Amino acid sequence: MLNAYLAIAFTPLLGALITGLGGHRLGKRWSHRLCIGAVAISFLVSAWVFVRFYFQGYEAEQFTVYTWGTVGNLTLQVGFLVDELTSLMMMVVTFVSLMVHIYTIGYMREDPGYSRFFAYIALFTFAMLMLVMANNFLQLFFGWEAVGLVSYLLIGFWYKRETAIRANLKAFLVNRVGDFGFLLGIAGVFYWFGSLDYLDVFGAVPELAATAPALQVTDNWQWPALTFICICLFIGAMGKSAQVPLHVWLPDSMEGPTPISALIHAATMVTAGVFMVARMSPIFEYSETALAFVLVIGSITALSMGLVGIVQQDIKRVVAYSTLSQLGYMVVALGVSAYSAAIFHLFTHAFFKALLFLGAGAVIIALHHEQDIRKMGGLRKALPITYFTFLIGTLALVGTPLFAGFYSKDAIIAAVGTYDGPAAALAEFCVLAGVFVTALYSFRLLFVVFHGKSRVEEETRAHLREPASVVWMPLVLLAIPSLMIGWWLTGPLLFGEFFGNAIKVLPAHDNLRELAGEYHGAMSFALHGLLTPVFWLMVAGLVVAWIFYSWRPAWPARVAAMLAWPHRLLINKYYADQFNQKVMADGSVGLGRRLWQFGDGKLIDGMVVHGLAGGVAWLAGTMRRLQTGYLYHYAFVMMGGLLLLLGWLLLR
């Protein structure tokens, strides 16, 4: 099996290296053939591994591929831990990556950086696979930083655009904040456990929890070790998974090509934080404080980011804020210990959100790279395949019964409903209100782009047509699991024993176990969903969207005028960017300037450098006055000195 796992991880790397180093000689055709072939091999082997776990109850395996070095008792190695959780993530990453690779042929056809782009996305796939397949914290950190590096290259792919350069720098810097916390968490793991190997650490957690060591912050304040580790690790997840307040990089990263939005911001990098917390469930389960912190952050993100999506006019940014909101739902599930629900929503979300991003890209291609939804409308007839696949993605996103998103999102809401710990009321309000908000911005996008009167320019309208098959084929292939994947996998992944020992939940936290007795199949679950308040909140969002953006399209402007302050708050995204610029960026510059003025200017230059030089010059000038050249002056000084010496001796 080791050879199979090596093929999964390293064939995308091989494709990336050959294409990146020799793309100018290979040409466009062989560049995409090589990268797509490499990722296709990785996907097929990943699917085979997943099938073995799903149908044959395959046992988890751990391998050491390469040992970097040994320092005392610490062994630094490259290794794989392949269990149920890993197999699911490998299949998601490789399948979505394969769809994006195929889609890229059509989307980037005329771009001069065609081969470079394929090399980047294949390299990104390798980095993400190394992250999810890791069996130790060091390799996890390597994959974590590698996906950050390649995302920096991809977001700024069009490096001649100033907006793209600003966006990739913003993503890089914000993620460094999260990664600092992540690194502290890994340092805490090594300090208290003495190992970086997952299985060693997870096995020692109950014993460490029983002894309850603490970090001494002040004389009167101690921070429990496990809480410190979990919160620091989760700060890393806040950066990667774009949780408030480290969310600001993701909307701006839409400056990259649309395939990147589907690959990075739907299924892979932004879900790395969710995967990491689920992987670390044996640690998080022993810290109530950390779980409460996770729950509050996820709740705020789920609702607040959805509200911003209502007022966005860029088609990709609407979907981007939807991603932020859905990531908040996943984090909420982590906070109530419903790890399998979080991973299941990650799984279903990967399909329908990648579908929505690629559907948005198909619209952009058809409109000659126009992204403002106010210049769209009436595209349903001209782009029928794009429309129907986009409709399926929308219905899955809002949680329509029988669609994939319904099963995973309703499971999260149900788990929150049975949770009675800290911040339970906040979480329940946010996830329920988020259902209405999600339906509102999702159907608003659908009605404005595909229905109603066309606002497309005459010249563009005359040439409107469905993009090439390499563009719409991935949409169809993503629409199928967006519709049907929940029918087969809801029971095993949510309420069954599929994840086995890959996820640990203490009996006191097992909210999904209470719901398992009420599950009687996917169809029964969907029919029951028609009777819940969640469904009617979704319908209410649909009705409001239809009234405001289809039946009475003049009303949104009137409501915005009536609610000027809240509308301005949402348009400015809660002034988070302004705060970061004025307080964090300008504040740092101001602090640096004052440190320079006082430290360099007054202390070092003024007192040390110039002060010593000036002191020597003053002393030399004073002593020079004594050197007059007159004998009677020297005799007078000698006599004066002699008298002072005699006086001192007499006084003694």
Side-chain angles (χ1 to χ4, degrees), residues 272-337:
V274 177
F275 162 78
M276 184 271 292
V277 176
R279 172 62 81 196
M280 303 302 150
S281 59
I283 306 176
F284 275 82
E285 279 298 281
Y286 288 90
S287 176
E288 297 284 350
T289 303
L291 289 174
F293 180 69
V294 171
L295 180 61
V296 170
I297 294 296
S299 301
I300 294 171
T301 304
L303 181 57
S304 62
M305 295 299 102
L307 290 170
V308 178
I310 297 172
V311 300
Q312 295 299 304
Q313 306 296 349
D314 185 302
I315 187 171
K316 287 172 62 177
R317 286 180 181 265
V318 176
V319 186
Y321 278 101
S322 169
T323 299
L324 287 169
S325 180
Q326 297 307 304
L327 288 168
Y329 273 89
M330 298 175 206
V331 172
V332 166
L334 298 172
V336 298
S337 297

Side-chain angles (χ1 to χ4, degrees), residues 439-450:
L440 179 56
Y441 67 66
S442 299
F443 285 110
R444 166 185 179 258
L445 184 63
L446 188 74
F447 291 141
V448 172
V449 173
F450 293 101

Side-chain angles (χ1 to χ4, degrees), residues 399-401 406 409-411 413-414 432 435 518 524-540:
T400 308
F406 161 77
K409 185 188 286 188
D410 263 40
I413 296 171
L432 288 174
V435 172
E518 302 175 9
S524 175
F525 193 3
L527 293 176
H528 179 266
L530 296 172
L531 306 176
T532 62
V534 177
F535 174 74
W536 295 108
L537 282 169
M538 184 270 289
V539 172

Side-chain angles (χ1 to χ4, degrees), residues 8 41 61 86 103 110 120 122-123 158 161 185 193 260 281 298 316 335 400 442 481 534 564 594 610-611 652:
I8 291 171
I41 292 171
E61 291 184 300
T86 306
Y103 180 91
E110 305 300 328
Y120 284 172
L123 182 62
W158 288 320
R161 294 183 183 178
F193 291 96
I260 297 314
S281 59
K316 287 172 62 177
T400 308
S442 299
V534 177
R594 282 165 177 75
H610 296 157
R652 288 187 62 192

